[in-house]
Amino acid sequence: MNKIVEMEFFSENVAKIVLEAPDIAKSRKAGHFVIIRIDEKGERIPLTIADGDPEKGTITLVVQRVGVTSAKLLAKKVGDEILDVVGPLGHATHIEKVGTVLCAGGGVGIAPLMPIVKALKEAGNRIITVLAGRTKELIILEDEMREFSDEVVIMTDDGSYGKKGLVTAGMEEVIKSEKVDMAVVIGPAIMMKFGSLTTQKYNIPTVVSLNTIMVDGTGMCGACRVSVGGKTKFVCVDGPEFDASLVNWEEMMMRMGAYKTQEHEAYERYLKTVETVS
Amino acid sequence: MENIAEYIKEGRSEAWRAELRKSMKAKERTSLERVKMPEQDPHVRNKNSIEVNLGISEELAVAEAHRCLDCPEPTCTIGCPVGINIPKFIKKIETKDFLGAAAVIKETNALPAVCGRVCPQEKQCELNCFYTQKLKKPAIAIGNLERFAADYERNSGKMSIPEIAEPNGIKVAVVGSGPAGLAAAGDLAKFGYDVTVFEALHEIGGVLKYGIPEFRLPNDIVDVEIDNMRKMGVKFRTDFIVGKTASFEDLRKQGFQAFFVGSGAGLPRFMNIPGENYNGIFSSNEYLTRVNLMKAADSEYDTPVLFGKNVAVIGGGNTAMDSVRTAKRLGAERAMIVYRRSLEEMPARIEEVHHAQEEDIEFLNLHNPVEYFADENGRVNKMRVQKMKLGEPDASGRRRPIPIEGSEFDIDVDLVVVAVGVSPNPIVPSSLKDLKMTSWGTIVVDKDSMQSSIPDIFAGGDIVRGGATVILAMGDGRKAAAGIHKYLQEKVKAN
């Protein structure tokens, strides 16, 4: 059992959850994820680790309400327990000094980007970070990002904060103003697709972290498979990070929608049960 | 139990056995008919998840036990990978000492209720039975009797715990809680070791839980056997991946002096044909895990699964049978096996094939999928299959399937389960740089001690074999436990 020791809501639908996971806190690195299961009847979902404290034995996850499991997670309180947390899973991010790195994060994708920004900075890179979201309240972890970035550009779709425009506009502005050696783009699939199309125009090697559907997260089931460079890869054991230019985005987005109807129905049912309880 | 042959012989000379042999003439014994396992009606059971085989009664068990001749050279025992004293437990049943029978099985088998259900006895003990070999009659129903003894003991509420040596305080880690790991853990506990089993998933049991369906092996039965191991002092740790959550080196520092790796063959194979990543196409591992482990078909549980009206399962092994029969139970109107060879070459147990046929599963043998098609949402809606014919035998000894050019045709499908095999899961071995592996990704071990190229690491089951049966994995686990025991005792002496 993994006790929640801290919870902070960034907005109504996005929260940071710090929970006890001493072994994982010790062994995790930037880029790793965990699989969690909330209770006996819960599903197994992957969440990228946003931070960890080996001394306190805790890891940090950032969760956005998108369905039943995330809603149940956000309904938890400090002191509550999560039944199962397993990890760290996947390959850690390959960290080396390459020069200037453009790090673009969209929405809750900013959370998994944070440890990568931190590690890349510590490796001696110049970091320019672009944080993007639909609206001001979806720009999260800005202070932490500023601490490890040489520059931070903020983009909102509605112009409620930073500059008005899509993440790609912010990225392009950076690329035009200085030489970028590498890019890391993490966020919703559609954002990663267009973000990586932008960097590809300028031949900048780009890494993305994929967030596909998973069950076991250890290579056993193949639910997370995507085509990368024309070959089927398992995100859980071959990834989660891949060369953005090789990812088949259409297939990935199609696969992520496999349970759309069931997920929607389950969420409706869940909302009803919550209503009857309260 | 250094010498199985001697262990088995010793029991035969006991007075009660000699007397029992005399109590009925051999002719009389051989004239008895093999008892039949009562089964649920096929058209009822293909709509529920209750066990197909209902188990035999005490009367039937005793009647079957009468058939056993208690041979001086019991060839049946040669066929048993875990070395069960088969004639002794059967003779215990004949004397109606059912608990005694269970205790005999448990001397060498940690999971009797499991093995009594899923072992391919027809290829092992029963194949080597005197009746099969010499009399050309149906073998003693050894598997059914094993299941009977185990079930009787469980239902009696008087589960015995095998004799355990004085605890020696030496810590041993078992990686993976499937059949190989459980068998190793059971024996190591008997030798007196302080055993911890580490499991990556949230449930103990490995393939027994995520893979084999309820209708063939109820989870409750697996849990009872695991509880029994807890009573033997075995500790279990779920949600823990050795090599990830903590390294082997971390565990050595925590005092673990030897490791058994039974991490299984959890990497599903696909055929790499066009359209295979469409929605509605699962690996058998994913499909069975969702249904068995995550209980996805039960709306009380959060995990979803896709349901199909026209379901094709690709492959001819036990996993393919489990998948297709699961799909039928989840409401498929048409559930079919698509297999590239003929019924004769099918690797699945005969019993499972028969059960599937009785349950209205269609068999498209000598057919192979070549491409999948999907609707506008990316959900599979059609598969193109090619007819095959059989050529000369290949390396496996089975006749090689050859595609018939121009024979392709399309079948409507809305769910496909690919059950064409698994590869060893690399997640554990890849954390050990110096571990010697084969080019297939299996761990290289000494075939007697199961010791790997790293002296304190032993391995067995599918991570060594690539893909085999529950009982072969258990046999490996037992061998490895003996290997670890020898290794640690020598180490203790040296210090």
Side-chain angles (χ1 to χ4, degrees):
Chain A
M1 293 289 259
N2 307 72
K3 196 195 272 179
I4 297 175
V5 294
E6 191 191 327
M7 257 182 111
E8 182 193 336
F9 277 83
F10 294 134
S11 63
E12 194 198 336
N13 293 320
V14 180
K16 176 175 102 171
I17 300 174
V18 181
L19 58 125
E20 285 175 354
D23 290 311
I24 302 171
K26 258 184 249 160
S27 46
R28 67 154 284 264
K29 289 194 176 76
H32 279 141
F33 67 93
V34 289
I35 292 264
I36 67 152
R37 189 175 72 127
I38 298 182
D39 52 40
E40 274 303 326
K41 290 179 178 170
E43 60 181 337
R44 294 170 65 97
I45 62 157
L47 289 168
T48 308
I49 305 169
D51 203 0
D53 186 333
E55 255 118 69
K56 287 186 188 150
T58 60
I59 57 168
T60 302
L61 306 172
V62 173
V63 181
Q64 180 173 28
R65 191 189 315 267
V66 288
V68 174
T69 302
S70 50
K72 280 184 183 172
L73 257 179
L74 295 187
K76 295 270 174 200
K77 303 270 175 296
V78 170
D80 287 351
E81 288 184 328
I82 307 287
L83 184 57
D84 297 288
V85 179
V86 63
L89 296 163
H91 290 293
T93 310
H94 177 71
I95 301 292
E96 64 174 326
K97 189 178 171 181
V98 292
T100 300
V101 185
L102 169 60
C103 296
V108 278
I110 296 170
L113 187 64
M114 201 180 74
I116 299 171
V117 164
K118 203 166 152 182
L120 284 170
K121 181 67 194 169
E122 280 161 4
N125 293 287
R126 173 175 157 77
I127 309 286
I128 306 173
T129 302
V130 178
L131 304 181
R134 264 196 334 275
T135 182
K136 184 181 175 180
E137 64 170 12
L138 296 175
I139 303 295
I140 58 171
L141 302 167
E142 186 189 338
D143 293 345
E144 290 88 340
M145 281 296 194
R146 286 198 186 277
E147 194 186 333
F148 298 106
S149 307
D150 294 274
E151 268 179 59
V152 173
V153 177
I154 291 174
M155 305 294 299
T156 51
D157 294 7
D158 62 0
S160 56
Y161 191 48
K163 288 180 192 162
K164 184 177 163 136
L166 295 172
V167 66
T168 45
M171 290 171 70
E172 203 139 14
E173 198 185 291
V174 173
I175 296 167
K176 279 178 180 160
S177 67
E178 67 179 287
K179 184 177 172 290
V180 171
D181 299 290
M182 187 182 120
V184 182
V185 183
I186 305 181
I190 192 84
M191 174 264 178
M192 288 194 279
K193 177 189 168 180
F194 284 102
S196 61
L197 285 176
T198 303
T199 56
Q200 264 176 67
K201 274 198 292 190
Y202 301 94
N203 291 317
I204 300 166
T206 303
V207 172
V208 285
S209 176
L210 305 185
N211 48 348
T212 49
I213 294 172
M214 293 184 190
V215 184
D216 64 290
T218 63
M220 204 185 81
C221 81
C224 64
R225 64 194 195 273
V226 288
S227 294
V228 180
K231 287 202 176 106
T232 294
K233 297 277 176 189
F234 288 6
V235 172
C236 66
V237 287
D238 297 322
E241 291 170 12
F242 293 97
D243 177 343
S245 66
L246 300 176
V247 174
N248 181 336
W249 296 105
E250 269 59 43
E251 183 189 274
M252 180 185 151
M253 286 186 261
M254 172 201 84
R255 288 188 60 77
M256 287 181 75
Y259 297 96
K260 231 182 199 160
T261 326
Q262 285 95 327
E263 282 163 0
H264 184 72
E265 285 167 6
Y267 193 51
E268 293 292 310
R269 272 202 307 274
Y270 170 75
L271 290 179
K272 272 188 195 139
T273 60
V274 176
E275 270 167 33
T276 36
V277 170
S278 61
Chain B
M1 226 155 292
E2 299 277 313
N3 190 332
I4 289 171
E6 238 156 68
Y7 156 71
I8 284 164
K9 247 191 191 142
E10 252 174 35
R12 192 178 184 269
S13 56
E14 284 169 23
W16 69 272
R17 289 267 291 272
E19 215 164 286
L20 199 61
R21 281 194 293 275
K22 277 186 242 155
S23 70
M24 197 182 209
K25 283 202 178 94
K27 255 224 172 100
E28 214 177 316
R29 292 184 189 273
T30 57
S31 68
L32 298 169
E33 292 279 318
R34 176 175 158 131
V35 304
K36 280 209 172 67
M37 170 62 81
E39 294 168 354
Q40 259 201 90
D41 179 86
H43 295 101
V44 174
R45 74 186 189 227
N46 70 9
K47 292 170 198 73
N48 68 36
S49 62
I50 302 166
E51 239 189 315
V52 170
N53 290 341
L54 300 169
I56 55 175
S57 63
E58 290 177 27
E59 293 70 34
L60 287 179
V62 173
E64 184 64 22
H66 278 309
R67 293 180 70 224
C68 173
L69 297 168
D70 198 7
C71 308
E73 297 290 340
T75 44
C76 54
T77 58
I78 300 163
C80 181
V82 297
I84 294 175
N85 193 336
I86 296 167
K88 187 173 176 184
F89 98 76
I90 293 180
K91 292 298 115 180
K92 288 271 183 190
I93 290 177
E94 190 176 332
T95 63
K96 297 191 181 169
D97 178 7
F98 306 132
L99 292 176
V104 171
I105 299 170
K106 280 157 79 173
E107 284 170 12
T108 66
N109 184 349
L111 311 168
V114 171
C115 293
R117 287 171 166 80
V118 304
C119 263
Q121 292 100 6
E122 69 281 359
K123 291 176 188 163
Q124 295 175 162
C125 51
E126 294 183 16
L127 175 69
N128 290 293
C129 172
F130 184 75
Y131 277 73
T132 319
Q133 293 295 331
K134 293 282 157 32
L135 301 180
K136 308 293 171 203
K137 283 185 175 181
I140 306 295
I142 301 169
N144 293 347
L145 288 174
E146 181 183 27
R147 172 184 160 156
F148 166 78
D151 287 359
Y152 182 91
E153 190 198 32
R154 190 180 60 254
N155 296 331
S156 74
K158 293 176 206 143
M159 293 275 283
S160 71
I161 291 166
E163 210 175 301
I164 288 169
E166 190 68 25
N168 59 26
I170 300 173
K171 282 165 85 173
V172 179
V174 170
V175 183
S177 70
L182 292 177
D187 273 14
L188 288 163
K190 282 185 210 166
F191 295 141
Y193 293 97
D194 177 359
V195 184
T196 305
V197 179
F198 295 94
E199 166 58 47
L201 289 172
H202 57 263
E203 285 242 25
I204 301 296
V207 71
L208 306 175
K209 282 280 180 67
Y210 74 73
I212 304 175
E214 279 293 295
F215 60 82
R216 209 149 70 82
L217 178 65
N219 279 349
D220 289 352
I221 281 163
V222 182
D223 283 332
V224 170
E225 308 235 37
I226 290 163
D227 270 348
N228 215 41
M229 297 189 68
R230 280 203 179 91
K231 288 181 193 144
M232 290 164 66
V234 176
K235 293 172 212 157
F236 291 97
R237 179 96 197 259
T238 52
D239 296 328
F240 197 108
I241 305 172
V242 176
K244 286 270 183 193
T245 310
S247 66
F248 282 85
E249 198 45 45
D250 293 334
L251 294 177
R252 284 186 189 112
K253 281 181 197 145
Q254 289 175 29
F256 287 96
Q257 297 201 29
F259 298 85
F260 172 73
V261 178
S263 51
L267 207 65
R269 270 189 224 142
F270 287 92
M271 292 170 65
N272 298 313
I273 57 175
E276 210 174 18
N277 289 343
Y278 281 132
N279 291 329
I281 305 180
F282 293 90
S283 72
S284 49
N285 270 358
E286 182 184 355
Y287 186 63
L288 293 172
T289 298
R290 283 181 184 274
V291 177
N292 298 336
L293 181 74
M294 306 309 297
K295 305 187 172 60
D298 182 340
S299 62
E300 290 276 296
Y301 287 75
D302 291 343
T303 304
V305 69
L306 297 174
F307 295 90
K309 271 196 184 121
N310 296 303
V311 183
V313 174
I314 319 303
N318 287 321
T319 311
M321 296 307 141
D322 287 345
S323 303
V324 77
R325 295 170 71 198
T326 297
K328 186 79 192 173
R329 282 160 173 76
L330 298 187
E333 285 164 17
R334 189 177 184 203
M336 55 198 141
I337 285 283
V338 179
Y339 179 55
R340 63 195 183 126
R341 304 184 208 236
S342 74
L343 207 56
E344 237 168 84
E345 289 82 20
M346 246 181 211
R349 287 187 71 191
I350 304 158
E351 184 185 4
E352 304 311 326
V353 175
H354 283 170
H355 280 164
Q357 287 167 331
E358 288 170 0
E359 291 165 13
D360 297 335
I361 304 300
E362 283 177 53
F363 283 75
L364 262 80
N365 296 327
L366 292 166
H367 284 79
N368 204 31
V370 289
E371 188 171 358
Y372 298 101
F373 302 92
D375 64 17
E376 66 281 5
N377 298 317
R379 171 80 181 253
V380 66
N381 64 3
K382 215 185 274 296
M383 72 188 283
R384 184 156 296 163
V385 295
Q386 187 171 37
K387 289 187 183 170
M388 312 290 278
K389 61 182 180 194
L390 292 178
E392 295 301 307
D394 64 10
S396 74
R398 295 176 300 174
R399 292 179 64 191
R400 196 165 57 89
I402 303 164
I404 301 172
E405 292 301 327
S407 66
E408 295 88 350
F409 65 98
D410 293 348
I411 304 173
D412 286 341
V413 289
D414 52 1
L415 196 79
V416 174
V417 180
V418 182
V420 297
V422 284
S423 302
N425 194 322
I427 203 163
V428 173
S430 67
S431 74
L432 293 161
K433 273 193 212 98
D434 302 328
L435 189 68
K436 209 172 147 199
M437 308 284 291
T438 67
S439 51
W440 301 283
T442 53
I443 299 176
V444 176
V445 293
D446 175 87
K447 69 175 179 16
D448 296 317
S449 68
M450 308 307 278
Q451 190 171 30
S452 76
S453 60
I454 301 173
D456 64 348
I457 298 179
F458 295 69
D462 281 358
I463 195 68
V464 166
R465 295 173 177 272
T469 58
V470 167
I471 191 68
L472 287 171
M474 291 181 64
D476 287 355
R478 295 204 67 217
K479 264 204 265 177
I484 289 171
H485 187 44
K486 190 161 171 259
Y487 164 79
L488 289 174
Q489 291 312 307
E490 277 165 13
K491 211 168 129 184
V492 168
K493 268 181 216 151
N495 289 333

